[in-house]
Amino acid sequence: MRLAWCILFLLGSTLPAQSEPTCNLLTINVDITALNIQLPSNISGLTLDILTALPKVQIQGTYQIAARYCEPEVKNSSRTNTLQLLVHGVTYTKDYWSGLGPPGQGYDGDKYSYVAYASKQGYPTLAIDRICNGNSSHPNGLTVIQLPANTEALYQVILQLQPSPTAGGRRFNKVIPVCHSEGATVCELLMQVHPDAPVATYVIHGFTNQFLVGGAASVAAVVFLPASIAAPTRFPGLDPTYLLTTSASGSQGVFYYGDYDKQVAAYDFANTNPVPAGELATSALSQLPAPLYKGSLLLLNGQNDQIFCAVLPTDPLIGGLGNCGTGATSTTARTQVLFPAAKFYYNQVANTGHDLDLHRTAAQTFKISHDYLASQGF
Ligand SMILES: *[C@@H]1O[C@H](CO)[C@@H](O)[C@H](O)[C@H]1NC(C)=O
Ligand SMILES: *[C@@H]1O[C@H](CO)[C@@H](O)[C@H](O)[C@H]1NC(C)=O
Ligand SMILES: *[C@@H]1O[C@H](CO)[C@@H](O)[C@H](O)[C@H]1NC(C)=O
């Protein structure tokens, strides 16, 4: 409801011709009930079998999701109510989608901005800080914010974007989650548990069904420490269940490959964000199939994704060499097994690692994603 009001207000103003979207920050309240996992005290080495056999524990709470809504500078009346809902990965916030800064203030202008590209195609965007990230609520990062709770929070956001016709305000009758990495694991779990969620399609970046091959080495390579210890000035007193990457070379090795600007990787590492441990410990739930999801999705990966296409043996210092292969035998194509009933589309960007949007090839990533949307009639 709060969201509808904000957007209604925005539409009331007459906007001059401009070259950037018009963005504003907002807060969305979500009431969530979720079946989390009762994690053991030692969470390293949790396989999918161990994870799914652990007892479940119900958590319930009201949390705030921080978000940025951007009204596109280009008007296209058939896209006015088609919203791209942007869901970031670990170590990032909503700023991942606008070049690691607010729109217009990203690294190198709009070069790495998905939001700017979407805006030029006439799509409104809503980039959220996933619960426990950025400026959203920060409950316990181990017990509360696991993948199931994260998924329920996203589901509640989606429901709030579609107010009933009598509620007034803007109706986003087409909501398209665009999900990267840990955000993609959340979207995959959403397809498992809410296969009929009111979404038009999904765009998934940086994800495969081979997470368990490279996941552990990637976690080792970035060297996580409690954020309050690793960066006490930036995160004084933050609950120790929030972890920060502390290896610059490990982070670069895990997130980047091939055609990228080393300055971007350095800027990224210098501004890295805390990761709730419970997210890392439960990401493997995304490796279970979503047999009831019957909608469509695009899976788009950097061909050299070191986390999701790791080639064994992985290197504990720099993660793995990533190679998804090509064509119908690629790891990307084979990930269709997770979505047996869906209309599955896939593509890859060559010479590119896990963080597709932060490589010099970003424009290809943006174009492939939007060409897909247009081809589906959105
Ligand atoms: C935690 O579990 C891992 C994998 O099973 C094991 O190698 C490690 O020694 C354990 N750590 C502690 C403190 O028990
Ligand atoms: C969170 O809020 C602070 C203070 O308003 C702001 O400086 C910061 O940029 C915000 N972070 C994100 C990720 O929105
Ligand atoms: C406006 O959106 C429609 C529907 O997605 C699309 O077919 C059309 O090409 C778009 N028009 C422009 C000028 O981009």
Side-chain angles (χ1 to χ4, degrees):
M1 203 60 61
R2 185 190 295 242
L3 184 63
W5 277 109
C6 290
I7 292 166
L8 195 64
F9 171 75
L10 213 152
L11 289 177
S13 50
T14 310
L15 304 171
Q18 53 188 7
S19 61
E20 291 284 340
T22 305
C23 303
N24 67 332
L25 296 171
L26 42 114
T27 303
I28 303 164
N29 291 317
V30 293
D31 291 317
I32 59 170
T33 304
L35 268 189
N36 273 358
I37 290 173
Q38 208 167 324
L39 291 171
S41 53
N42 180 3
I43 58 169
S44 70
L46 289 180
T47 64
L48 188 54
D49 285 346
I50 298 175
L51 203 58
T52 50
L54 287 168
K56 304 275 194 297
V57 54
Q58 180 170 306
I59 63 109
Q60 196 271 324
T62 300
Y63 302 104
Q64 297 197 311
I65 302 294
R68 180 186 291 117
Y69 175 77
C70 292
E71 182 71 15
E73 83 252 28
V74 169
K75 301 294 166 204
N76 180 335
S77 57
S78 21
R79 290 180 178 154
T80 306
N81 294 324
T82 304
L83 182 75
Q84 295 196 52
L85 173 59
L86 312 178
V87 189
H88 66 82
V90 292
T91 78
Y92 299 103
T93 67
K94 55 185 171 310
D95 288 348
Y96 174 80
W97 301 104
S98 39
L100 302 176
Q105 298 165 50
Y107 197 98
D108 230 342
D110 285 340
K111 185 169 179 183
Y112 302 101
S113 177
Y114 189 97
V115 169
Y117 193 99
S119 174
K120 287 180 175 37
Q121 306 288 317
Y123 294 96
T125 55
L126 183 76
I128 60 167
D129 289 336
R130 280 188 299 106
I131 185 165
C132 272
N133 289 265
N135 285 342
S136 292
S137 300
H138 279 62
N140 184 286
L142 189 57
T143 56
V144 180
I145 290 322
Q146 300 177 9
L147 217 56
N150 232 302
T151 300
E152 290 309 316
L154 180 63
Y155 183 55
Q156 291 303 323
V157 168
I158 290 170
L159 294 183
Q160 288 191 42
L161 293 170
Q162 309 203 326
S164 77
T166 54
R170 182 85 153 260
R171 291 180 70 200
F172 292 106
N173 52 17
K174 294 182 189 124
V175 176
I176 300 168
V178 182
C179 323
H180 176 241
S181 190
E182 185 78 34
T185 70
V186 173
C187 287
E188 202 279 343
L189 192 59
L190 184 63
M191 291 183 222
Q192 289 181 43
V193 299
H194 294 295
D196 297 321
V199 305
T201 184
Y202 287 89
V203 174
I204 305 286
H205 291 174
F207 175 83
T208 71
N209 68 339
Q210 296 297 308
F211 170 68
L212 292 164
V213 177
S218 302
V219 166
V222 301
V223 191
F224 279 117
L225 287 175
S228 55
I229 292 172
T233 354
R234 279 185 75 199
F235 308 106
L238 184 61
D239 183 306
T241 56
Y242 287 84
L243 310 175
L244 206 64
T245 55
T246 62
S247 166
S249 59
S251 299
Q252 186 173 318
V254 163
F255 292 130
Y256 295 85
Y257 179 90
D259 197 2
Y260 70 96
D261 178 347
K262 287 202 161 48
Q263 302 293 324
V264 172
Y267 181 83
D268 181 352
F269 178 71
N271 294 286
T272 189
N273 295 281
V275 178
E279 280 190 358
L280 295 175
T282 55
S283 310
L285 293 174
S286 68
Q287 302 294 289
L288 295 168
L292 298 178
Y293 177 65
K294 297 192 174 70
S296 57
L297 73 142
L298 170 70
L299 177 60
L300 175 60
N301 288 323
Q303 196 184 321
N304 303 97
D305 188 313
Q306 304 89 317
I307 302 175
F308 284 86
C309 291
V311 174
L312 291 172
T314 52
D315 182 336
L317 294 180
I318 55 163
L321 166 71
N323 190 350
C324 301
T326 55
T329 58
S330 64
T331 309
T332 305
R334 289 170 185 243
T335 298
Q336 180 167 18
V337 296
L338 294 183
F339 313 104
K343 286 178 273 303
F344 178 84
Y345 301 85
Y346 71 92
N347 210 329
Q348 298 190 139
V349 182
N351 207 24
T352 298
H354 181 65
D355 283 353
L356 298 86
D357 292 34
L358 301 179
H359 283 64
R360 288 203 188 93
T361 53
Q364 285 178 56
T365 293
F366 304 155
K367 184 173 189 313
I368 292 169
S369 303
H370 288 82
D371 285 355
Y372 165 74
L373 294 180
S375 76
Q376 298 292 304
F378 301 126

